[in-house]
Amino acid sequence: MAARKSASKNKNKNKNKKVRVALVQMACIDKPDQNVKKALERIGKAAKAGAQIVCLQELFRSRYFCQSEDDAQFELAESIPGPTSKALAKAAAQHKIALVGSIFERRAQGLYHNTAVIFNERGEMAGKYRKMHIPDDPRYYEKFFFTPGDAEPGFFATATAAAKIGTLICWDQWYPEAARLTALAGAQILFYPTAIGWHKEDVKDIRIAQADAWELIQRSHALSNGCFVCAVNRVGTEDGLTFWGGSFVADPFGRIIAKASADKEEILYAECDLDSIDSTRRHWPFLRDRRVDAYGGILKRYGQS
Amino acid sequence: MAARKSASKNKNKNKNKKVRVALVQMACIDKPDQNVKKALERIGKAAKAGAQIVCLQELFRSRYFCQSEDDAQFELAESIPGPTSKALAKAAAQHKIALVGSIFERRAQGLYHNTAVIFNERGEMAGKYRKMHIPDDPRYYEKFFFTPGDAEPGFFATATAAAKIGTLICWDQWYPEAARLTALAGAQILFYPTAIGWHKEDVKDIRIAQADAWELIQRSHALSNGCFVCAVNRVGTEDGLTFWGGSFVADPFGRIIAKASADKEEILYAECDLDSIDSTRRHWPFLRDRRVDAYGGILKRYGQS
């Protein structure tokens, strides 16, 4: 019995796997090329610091252009593959990292998406996620710009050398369904490139409540699914919006293990111990008991209709 | 235009509705009659203090008997209607309150449930919820005692004079699907009668992490659904388990508006402004954008299988 126990222990030891992630929290200016240049530099810096997976913030190439319904902004969009996705692919291959980028995608004339691209360590595009939940609020006129994702399945995980990862984008953050489906697809780490900020009219209490809520909902996805969550937000003020940064990594029990400032550009690093997904899910076995026979109403808009 | 605006304002004013809830956080002893007597006294006290809806903790009639697989404990079970449910019905009618109780239900010989009963202000049973997610962990051997709920729909809301309410029980807390379905059924307030505590072996950091996680996940249900959440936990030490109390009420933005101690018996009161559900959901319109066309995988256990 002692031998068996020892063997079991060795087996666990062998699969022990810690993954170093880096989240690039930036401010953006009105010159896309310079934003891309800055992002590429920081990707390189993160890789040198040992990052195996790097994630950029939402729409890092430009200022957050959805603050008004200005059709001139469609000029920012690019095809995939296109200049930015090619630059990211090259960076991933050069640094031998997995890389999650965010692109304003021109899919066809008059058809645009808010898209995350996932490159593996060989620089191959391993996944392309088109934002499924599109917000539309004052200063976030995204329904004007982006068609919601329509792939099947809409939510998925992507294998990289370091971990199986899932990518969701900003407004998706508020939907437990999106996190659940991505985790059920096998994602060990969920990445949320984001652009969220305070209106200049918001008073302090409202600002705190909003940032708290944003953190809370994403920590809850880590907890309910027993996986890591990485949220990557921008900083800086663009017109009336001040992006609140606060990029963070939550562990499978929903605890924050790394957190960036609210107002500074930085690269946030964290070690994600993939074995802790096993141990957390064994002790809090939520996946064991899901009532898949009784969740049919999730596919309804409201009530039975 | 001014007149129309005024009319709209008055209309809002007319439907303004604040509901006073009371959560009864108790310790329980090995004498069921005395536990019931205590609960009934506190229901009366809460009603006198203006409570319109009162919720008791999970299995308030007894000590938490699931710490071992002791079949003698089945003797605690009662039919519904039975002595305890009748006493609760009488209390609801007497005090003209809505009342959520928790009963170890004997449905048939050898068939038992962990059941919440919802009485309206006339003392009529307006709803009966059989716990859908059943835990099974050391000291929480609930799968030995309780058959999972099998009603259709499994998750529902119940109309009372004060509000439309939903009831879920303890382990259900960890499932966003349960909260979502109950909110989509129209619940404005979710009640979670609970019995959760620390093992005596748990070190301080683990205790804090567990209680934080418990609070976090339920606050996230309030937030993602834009409704109120009331969690009602017991206190006191029973064998090796110390129940951590901490009953609380969260508003539709996930903020805690009332919270009880970790170790004292008390009645926790809160005002739930049902109009704030409108305003919260208008400003953070998560229900607007759910991708019901893309959530099919929620009905799968894992991946596509």
Side-chain angles (χ1 to χ4, degrees):
Chain A
M1 287 299 283
R4 191 190 293 172
K5 198 171 177 182
S6 171
S8 164
K9 202 174 172 186
N10 283 341
K11 191 180 162 195
N12 282 332
K13 200 175 175 185
N14 285 340
K15 71 185 175 90
N16 186 296
K17 200 174 172 187
K18 291 187 181 172
V19 176
R20 187 162 167 83
V21 299
L23 316 184
V24 179
Q25 173 174 300
M26 296 177 10
C28 292
I29 58 172
D30 201 14
K31 295 178 179 167
D33 289 350
Q34 291 196 25
N35 295 324
V36 173
K37 184 166 175 266
K38 188 197 282 184
L40 293 172
E41 284 168 2
R42 289 173 190 206
I43 290 165
K45 190 176 171 191
K48 278 201 188 83
Q52 296 157 276
I53 308 175
V54 178
C55 182
L56 304 175
Q57 71 205 25
E58 185 183 17
L59 301 169
F60 71 97
R61 183 172 169 265
S62 64
R63 284 161 58 100
Y64 181 70
F65 54 82
C66 311
Q67 288 206 51
S68 64
E69 298 197 351
D70 171 11
D71 61 40
Q73 304 299 322
F74 284 108
E75 295 298 325
L76 286 166
E78 293 181 10
S79 300
I80 299 175
T84 301
S85 74
K86 284 177 185 170
L88 296 176
K90 190 177 161 189
Q94 178 188 344
H95 301 298
K96 296 186 176 60
I97 54 162
L99 178 59
V100 179
S102 164
I103 290 177
F104 180 17
E105 180 190 3
R106 176 188 160 106
R107 183 173 174 185
Q109 287 180 299
L111 181 58
Y112 301 86
H113 293 280
N114 185 331
T115 301
V117 282
I118 304 106
F119 296 98
N120 67 18
E121 295 79 356
R122 294 183 298 278
E124 299 158 345
M125 194 161 70
K128 183 172 71 172
Y129 170 76
R130 289 172 171 150
K131 188 171 181 175
M132 291 288 282
H133 301 93
I134 306 293
D136 198 277
D137 296 298
R139 296 185 183 278
Y140 298 88
Y141 298 104
E142 294 199 19
K143 288 193 195 296
F144 176 75
F145 291 101
F146 310 124
T147 291
D150 56 1
E152 292 204 12
F155 306 97
F156 59 88
T158 303
T160 73
K164 197 162 182 183
I165 66 175
T167 306
L168 296 160
I169 303 173
C170 205
W171 191 240
D172 292 323
Q173 282 152 350
W174 304 100
Y175 294 85
E177 293 92 341
R180 177 71 95 204
L181 285 162
T182 309
L184 291 182
Q188 297 167 299
I189 309 175
L190 304 182
F191 289 93
Y192 286 94
T194 297
I196 192 167
W198 294 301
H199 297 193
K200 60 185 173 188
E201 305 84 15
D202 294 335
V203 297
K204 190 182 173 191
D205 283 357
I206 295 292
R207 290 179 176 222
I208 293 170
Q210 291 177 355
D212 280 357
W214 177 78
E215 196 173 273
L216 175 79
I217 197 70
Q218 292 175 95
R219 290 176 61 202
S220 83
H221 303 327
L223 178 56
S224 58
N225 295 294
C227 65
F228 288 87
V229 165
C230 299
V232 196
N233 191 23
R234 67 171 67 200
V235 288
T237 296
E238 303 177 14
D239 298 327
L241 269 184
T242 299
F243 296 94
W244 67 55
S247 301
F248 70 89
V249 179
D251 77 6
F253 206 55
R255 289 171 294 206
I256 290 182
I257 58 173
K259 185 171 173 178
S261 68
D263 54 2
K264 291 184 188 59
E265 294 194 311
E266 55 188 292
I267 304 175
L268 183 72
Y269 297 96
E271 308 287 331
C272 299
D273 177 355
L274 301 186
D275 282 353
S276 72
I277 297 173
D278 277 291
S279 57
T280 305
R281 289 183 180 176
R282 283 178 193 169
H283 284 94
W284 297 83
F286 307 139
L287 294 187
R288 182 188 65 191
D289 296 328
R290 291 179 65 244
R291 290 297 305 272
V292 294
D293 60 311
Y295 293 162
I298 295 282
L299 310 187
K300 305 282 186 184
R301 181 66 59 201
Y302 190 79
Q304 291 305 306
S305 56
Chain B
M1 286 300 282
R4 191 189 292 170
K5 198 170 177 185
S6 169
S8 163
K9 200 174 171 186
N10 282 340
K11 192 180 164 195
N12 281 332
K13 198 174 174 184
N14 286 339
K15 72 188 175 88
N16 186 296
K17 200 173 171 185
K18 291 188 182 171
V19 175
R20 188 163 166 83
V21 299
L23 315 184
V24 179
Q25 173 172 299
M26 295 176 14
C28 292
I29 59 172
D30 202 13
K31 295 177 180 168
D33 289 350
Q34 290 195 26
N35 295 324
V36 173
K37 184 165 174 266
K38 188 198 283 186
L40 293 172
E41 284 169 0
R42 288 172 191 208
I43 290 165
K45 190 177 169 189
K48 279 202 188 82
Q52 296 157 276
I53 308 174
V54 178
C55 182
L56 304 175
Q57 71 205 25
E58 186 182 17
L59 302 169
F60 71 96
R61 182 172 170 265
S62 65
R63 284 160 60 99
Y64 181 69
F65 54 83
C66 310
Q67 287 205 53
S68 65
E69 297 197 350
D70 172 10
D71 61 40
Q73 303 301 321
F74 284 109
E75 294 299 324
L76 285 167
E78 293 182 9
S79 300
I80 297 175
T84 300
S85 74
K86 285 177 184 170
L88 296 177
K90 191 176 159 190
Q94 179 189 343
H95 301 298
K96 296 186 176 59
I97 54 161
L99 177 59
V100 179
S102 164
I103 290 176
F104 180 16
E105 180 191 4
R106 176 186 160 106
R107 183 174 174 183
Q109 287 179 301
L111 181 57
Y112 301 86
H113 294 280
N114 186 331
T115 303
V117 282
I118 304 109
F119 296 98
N120 67 19
E121 295 78 355
R122 294 183 298 276
E124 299 158 344
M125 194 160 70
K128 184 170 71 173
Y129 170 76
R130 289 171 173 151
K131 188 172 181 173
M132 291 287 283
H133 301 92
I134 307 292
D136 198 277
D137 297 297
R139 296 187 185 276
Y140 298 87
Y141 298 104
E142 294 199 19
K143 289 193 195 294
F144 176 75
F145 291 102
F146 309 124
T147 291
D150 56 0
E152 292 205 14
F155 306 97
F156 59 88
T158 302
T160 74
K164 197 161 182 183
I165 66 175
T167 306
L168 296 160
I169 303 173
C170 205
W171 191 239
D172 293 322
Q173 282 152 352
W174 303 99
Y175 294 85
E177 293 92 341
R180 177 71 95 204
L181 286 162
T182 308
L184 291 181
Q188 296 166 300
I189 310 174
L190 304 182
F191 288 92
Y192 286 93
T194 298
I196 192 166
W198 293 301
H199 297 194
K200 59 186 174 189
E201 305 85 14
D202 293 335
V203 297
K204 190 182 172 192
D205 282 357
I206 296 291
R207 291 180 177 222
I208 292 170
Q210 290 177 355
D212 280 356
W214 176 79
E215 196 173 273
L216 175 78
I217 196 71
Q218 293 175 93
R219 288 176 62 201
S220 83
H221 303 327
L223 178 57
S224 58
N225 295 294
C227 64
F228 288 87
V229 165
C230 298
V232 196
N233 192 22
R234 67 172 65 200
V235 289
T237 296
E238 303 177 16
D239 299 327
L241 269 186
T242 299
F243 297 93
W244 66 55
S247 301
F248 70 88
V249 179
D251 77 6
F253 207 55
R255 290 172 293 205
I256 290 183
I257 57 172
K259 185 171 173 179
S261 68
D263 55 2
K264 290 183 187 62
E265 295 194 310
E266 54 188 292
I267 305 174
L268 183 72
Y269 298 96
E271 309 286 332
C272 299
D273 177 355
L274 301 186
D275 282 351
S276 72
I277 297 173
D278 277 292
S279 56
T280 305
R281 289 184 180 175
R282 283 178 193 168
H283 284 93
W284 298 83
F286 307 139
L287 295 187
R288 183 188 63 190
D289 296 328
R290 292 178 65 244
R291 292 295 305 270
V292 294
D293 59 312
Y295 293 161
I298 295 282
L299 311 186
K300 305 281 185 185
R301 181 67 60 201
Y302 191 79
Q304 291 304 307
S305 57

